[in-house]
Amino acid sequence: MSRQPKILLIYTGGTIGMIKDFETGALKAFDFNDLLKKIPELRLLDCEIETTGFEQPIDSSNMNPKLWVALCDIIEENYERCDGFVILHGSDTMSYTASALSFMLENLSKPVIFTGSQLPIGDLRTDAKENLITAIQIAALKKNKRSYINEVGLYFEYKLYRGNRSSKISAEHFEAFKSPNYPPLATSGVHLTIEDDKLFPTNRKKLLVHRNLKTDLLVIHLYPGIDEKLLTSTFENTDYSGVILLTFGSGNSTTVPWFTRLLKKIIQRNIPVVNITQCTWGSVQMGNYETSTTLKNIGVISGKDLTIEAAITKMMYLNSQNLSPKVFKTIFETSLRGEMS
């Protein structure tokens, strides 16, 4: 008989890891060593579950690149002996971490599935149990004796999304995440439906872990009437390795001369400037309108349909590789991990 898939459950913190003390009403951290006692339904899954996590669980608002590296370390240390990984994570920054790990874990051939919940695992109406059970089930899936999923995914409220295509869109509803510009990889209903044509093909290369990230980025959200003095001071008196512009519509910005002049100076210093849209759905298409043609002509890079989470983490990843401006532009505008169309 073939052995059961071995899944490593990694707890970082977040709402899903809390349970209510019914005597006091207070929330306290859940002991994941008692996982099978608290959620006996997990015994029905055809897999072996191990647990680990951060020594000090954190609120996901405190997630940072050092902890992304710590997650990569855990995955790399257990990569050969485990068939899949499920990361329990607070929902607020989950898409950032999923996007970052998609770039940091090159040649991934096993599933790394993020999940969490809007309500604690001990709450009467919690969404935690379904999210956890199905995320583990997805991570354990096999096809032709190999992992069915071999990328970083995010599972929430009956949908598995590509991690670097996801964004949190609600702090109130159970359906907290969406993948605006790419369809779900799987849907959980009466049956678990996997969209084979949306998945990454099987990969047999050796896992490469990229631990160096440059985090000194400027993210500028454009708005009508944005102040010249403020932007001039920010651009000229700050050290940074890249700029991400959140522009209007399909990548449009103001054409006032001072703004173009500022961007030109940045690009002439070999600092990349990337254009992504403020819109949740859709893509940057520089050159469609006069208000984006100027950006294209001075060398602004198209972020196409990247989420803000993917744009930031992709720039962190590429900025650490000492690429020439021309090579950086070419690679940034190319899909590396399925993050852009």
Side-chain angles (χ1 to χ4, degrees):
M1 290 178 64
S2 61
R3 68 171 179 85
Q4 288 183 313
K6 184 175 289 186
I7 304 303
L8 184 62
L9 189 65
I10 305 169
Y11 177 54
T12 69
T15 300
I16 194 169
M18 307 304 289
I19 191 164
K20 184 175 287 187
D21 184 324
F22 288 102
E23 291 185 4
T24 65
L27 293 175
K28 60 182 180 180
F30 177 72
D31 184 354
F32 278 88
N33 292 319
D34 294 333
L35 191 63
L36 291 176
K37 293 180 185 177
K38 296 291 185 181
I39 313 177
E41 298 94 329
L42 291 173
R43 297 182 187 275
L44 299 175
L45 296 175
D46 186 25
C47 64
E48 180 184 343
I49 302 168
E50 293 184 8
T51 61
T52 189
F54 292 166
E55 286 187 16
Q56 293 294 327
I58 63 160
D59 186 291
S60 74
S61 297
N62 289 319
M63 185 55 71
N64 61 67
K66 287 184 179 179
L67 295 175
W68 294 342
V69 172
L71 283 173
C72 288
D73 288 342
I74 293 171
I75 291 168
E76 186 177 38
E77 287 165 10
N78 295 279
Y79 195 72
E80 294 303 322
R81 66 180 198 86
C82 292
D83 298 284
F85 304 87
V86 172
I87 300 176
L88 304 182
H89 194 292
S91 61
D92 285 353
T93 61
M94 192 188 299
S95 290
Y96 285 94
T97 305
S99 296
L101 262 62
S102 76
F103 297 115
M104 297 169 77
L105 299 171
E106 186 177 357
N107 298 331
L108 193 62
S109 62
K110 297 180 181 182
V112 175
I113 309 298
F114 283 82
T115 196
S117 65
Q118 295 286 67
L119 291 175
I121 205 164
D123 196 278
L124 181 64
R125 297 178 52 252
T126 187
D127 54 332
K129 284 188 178 181
E130 196 284 323
N131 286 347
L132 176 58
I133 290 168
T134 307
I136 293 172
Q137 183 181 16
I138 288 170
L141 288 175
K142 294 281 189 177
K143 186 177 184 181
N144 299 325
K145 299 182 179 180
R146 297 182 65 85
S147 295
Y148 207 140
I149 311 293
N150 49 66
E151 59 181 284
V152 178
L154 188 156
Y155 181 80
F156 223 91
E157 189 66 7
Y158 308 117
K159 295 286 196 303
L160 175 68
Y161 302 116
R162 177 162 292 157
N164 56 33
R165 291 284 196 153
S166 66
S167 287
K168 186 173 182 182
I169 51 98
S170 176
E172 174 69 20
H173 300 118
F174 285 144
E175 192 176 0
F177 290 85
K178 282 292 186 185
S179 173
N181 295 307
Y182 198 78
L185 306 180
T187 302
S188 175
V190 175
H191 302 287
L192 185 59
T193 303
I194 309 294
E195 303 296 337
D196 291 64
D197 61 325
K198 303 298 186 296
L199 302 176
F200 277 163
T202 300
N203 169 56
R204 297 178 185 272
K205 295 179 181 178
K206 181 178 173 58
L207 177 71
L208 296 175
V209 180
H210 301 275
R211 291 177 172 82
N212 295 325
L213 299 172
K214 292 199 72 172
T215 61
D216 53 342
L217 310 181
L218 285 179
V219 180
I220 305 296
H221 189 115
L222 297 187
Y223 57 89
I226 195 165
D227 187 75
E228 178 181 358
K229 288 182 180 178
L230 177 63
L231 271 191
T232 300
S233 177
T234 301
F235 284 146
E236 294 185 351
N237 301 313
T238 309
D239 291 326
Y240 50 92
S241 65
V243 177
I244 294 173
L245 294 177
L246 286 120
T247 57
F248 310 119
S250 57
N252 305 310
S253 76
T254 177
T255 56
V256 292
W258 66 262
F259 183 69
T260 304
R261 186 170 60 250
L262 279 177
L263 294 183
K264 253 186 176 178
K265 284 183 180 180
I266 295 167
I267 294 166
Q268 286 168 355
R269 290 161 54 197
N270 292 331
I271 295 173
V273 178
V274 167
N275 181 2
I276 67 169
T277 175
Q278 295 174 17
C279 300
T280 304
W281 277 261
S283 177
V284 163
Q285 298 178 47
M286 289 193 296
N288 269 13
Y289 296 91
E290 183 183 349
T291 45
S292 64
T293 299
T294 301
L295 299 181
K296 183 177 181 180
N297 290 342
I298 64 173
V300 171
I301 298 165
S302 175
K304 300 183 181 178
D305 58 354
L306 286 174
T307 63
I308 181 61
E309 297 92 342
I312 288 172
T313 53
K314 186 173 185 176
M315 183 174 275
M316 286 180 178
Y317 164 66
L318 289 180
N319 273 354
S320 69
Q321 299 188 28
N322 298 315
L323 303 171
S324 70
K326 185 176 181 181
V327 172
F328 182 99
K329 183 177 188 298
T330 299
I331 295 178
F332 199 96
E333 293 183 341
T334 301
S335 180
L336 302 179
R337 312 281 194 269
E339 73 279 2
M340 59 168 52
S341 301

